[in-house]
Amino acid sequence: MAVDIDTAQREIALVEQARIRPMMGLDVLEPLPSPRIPYRTVDPYILVHEAVVPISPERASFDTRHPHRGFDNLWYAISGSASTGQTTGPGGTIERARLEAGSLLKLRTGRGVWHAEGIGEDELREGKTGTEMRGLLFWVNLARKDKGAEPTAQFLPARDVPVRHDGDAIVRVLVGEGSAIELGTPGLILDAELPTGGGVVSPVRSDFNGFVYMLEGEASFGANRRPVSRSQIAVLGPGSELVVEQARPGTRFMLMAGKPYGETPVFNGPYVD
């Protein structure tokens, strides 16, 4: 007897624990890049980092300013707040932005930009020494034809992030329908939280690559019901929707997907050509 298989549901092709990478005096969780995850399976996403940034005079005095080019750099505040600067003002002057919980800063690095200027300086002036910001950083590739674009900064405050209720989940749309933030290719970035547990079904375009990164808790993902837990990355197989079930209360995850460029990026330190 033939058995019908729902090919719309994506399976989880691979699950891997993020490694810890010391960087700028912090222990950074790095799910991407990974030697076990070929770039072609997550194209256009190049890098994902999670870190807790302390707000202190020592941190603000560090020379963390550094250059980038050739991709979109997105910094998302999971909790807390931190200020930073980047050379996207007139004539390459410093513009500052403050990320509060739930807000997003997108830098189109294009032909070149400097950023991470004076992290936490604004908070220190307000007497907030000893606080911290938990954040998530994404590098999303640009098409080779767009790598010479003018550098720009776009800030999305938490109040302007579209929020919807899907199944048992509260879903914040950072990139996707209703969001003002666009990547260089059609994309989707969701912050999904299941306060009481349960499940959710999320459409993911069939021509997108995608993956999940777990911020909190544990749940079963995909048609093959793979368990995924804190600080693990789960790469999606083909299909048009992601099913999440049996989530523990308080589970929270990021779903990141996008239409691949099919171009092989050339890495040169902080530059992606």
Side-chain angles (χ1 to χ4, degrees):
M1 183 178 72
V3 177
D4 291 331
I5 298 175
D6 185 358
T7 56
Q9 289 191 19
R10 290 178 178 249
E11 293 192 344
I12 298 301
L14 180 149
V15 176
E16 185 174 66
Q17 186 72 34
R19 67 171 178 161
I20 298 175
R21 181 179 179 186
M23 182 179 295
M24 297 183 184
L26 303 173
D27 286 334
V28 175
L29 285 168
E30 184 180 73
L32 280 181
S34 166
R36 292 191 60 225
I37 302 176
Y39 173 71
R40 60 178 172 76
T41 66
V42 291
D43 177 4
Y45 292 87
I46 298 168
L47 174 146
V48 178
H49 280 175
E50 181 191 348
V52 175
V53 179
I55 305 301
S56 68
E58 295 77 18
R59 168 60 47 186
S61 68
F62 285 175
D63 184 11
T64 55
R65 197 174 81 117
H66 57 280
H68 287 305
R69 73 166 181 252
F71 59 92
D72 284 338
N73 183 101
L74 288 81
W75 196 18
Y76 179 51
I78 301 167
S79 62
S81 69
S83 54
T84 187
Q86 58 279 332
T87 57
T88 51
T93 56
I94 294 290
E95 287 184 318
R96 293 194 64 78
R98 175 179 293 182
L99 281 85
E100 306 280 357
S103 60
L104 179 71
L105 175 65
K106 186 193 91 171
L107 299 183
R108 176 147 294 172
T109 65
R111 67 170 183 259
V113 69
W114 288 75
H115 85 133
E117 172 82 22
I119 295 177
E121 281 184 0
D122 298 358
E123 287 74 18
L124 289 175
R125 283 194 291 268
E126 296 170 0
K128 295 180 180 178
T129 301
T131 60
E132 60 186 22
M133 191 270 264
R134 180 185 175 195
L136 204 61
L137 182 73
F138 318 104
W139 289 10
V140 189
N141 200 17
L142 287 172
R144 195 151 282 121
K145 65 180 179 62
D146 296 327
K147 289 183 180 288
E150 179 76 14
T152 58
Q154 184 180 5
F155 179 67
L156 185 67
R159 65 178 178 274
D160 292 339
V161 174
V163 179
R164 65 174 188 253
H165 293 262
D166 286 349
D168 300 310
I170 301 167
V171 179
R172 300 171 181 88
V173 184
L174 306 183
V175 174
E177 186 177 356
S179 174
I181 300 291
E182 294 184 353
L183 307 176
T185 186
L188 180 70
I189 301 179
L190 305 179
D191 174 359
E193 189 171 3
L194 293 107
T196 60
V200 62
V201 178
S202 181
V204 182
R205 274 177 43 174
S206 59
D207 58 342
F208 281 12
N209 285 333
F211 59 92
V212 165
Y213 177 65
M214 292 293 287
L215 297 175
E216 304 290 350
E218 182 177 354
S220 295
F221 285 81
N224 51 344
R225 308 301 189 261
R226 288 285 296 273
V228 187
S229 57
R230 170 74 179 106
S231 69
Q232 289 185 326
I233 181 173
V235 179
L236 308 186
S240 58
E241 66 179 25
L242 175 65
V243 177
V244 183
E245 296 178 328
Q246 299 176 336
R248 292 181 179 175
T251 290
R252 187 175 180 184
F253 63 90
M254 303 295 299
L255 171 58
M256 289 162 270
K259 187 174 182 178
Y261 291 112
E263 300 176 347
T264 302
V266 178
F267 299 99
N268 181 16
Y271 308 128
V272 182
D273 298 322

